[in-house]
Amino acid sequence: MKGYHGSEHSVAILEEGLLAAKAPGCPHIWLALRPEDAVAFGTVLEVDMTGLDFDWMDQDEPDYQPFWQGCYHGGDIGPERIRLLR
């Protein structure tokens, strides 16, 4: 499964990975289901979610919007799982 992350800090992310501690509030990593949902936040990065315990937001969450985004609360995602989407 793939997720997408938009950021103005894509160079650093490609080197360091996505670091949950950099998120405001609780440590998490925001991901979009489709690249077009991430592009408003900057350069789009594709994230390999294979084997990670991750569920897209569901109807029970207060900010529910049908399956377009989710927050990964399993720690950092290393740079080996991330590539620039072209």
Side-chain angles (χ1 to χ4, degrees):
M1 169 170 248
K2 304 287 185 199
Y4 301 91
H5 185 84
S7 177
E8 295 177 6
H9 307 286
S10 59
V11 173
I13 292 170
L14 288 167
E15 292 175 3
E16 302 172 354
L18 287 161
L19 306 177
K22 290 191 174 189
C26 71
H28 69 278
I29 296 168
W30 175 88
L31 294 164
L33 182 59
R34 303 174 308 178
E36 56 267 29
D37 295 326
V39 73
F41 301 94
T43 301
V44 178
L45 302 166
E46 182 180 80
V47 180
D48 179 4
M49 299 300 296
T50 304
L52 298 180
D53 184 20
F54 183 82
D55 289 317
W56 297 102
M57 290 182 97
D58 62 34
Q59 295 179 15
D60 296 331
E61 299 208 25
D63 295 327
Y64 172 72
Q65 295 190 23
F67 302 109
W68 77 275
Q69 69 172 351
C71 292
Y72 176 66
H73 292 274
D76 299 337
I77 297 177
E80 69 279 357
R81 291 181 172 269
I82 303 167
R83 73 173 186 90
L84 184 64
L85 186 69
R86 301 208 185 263

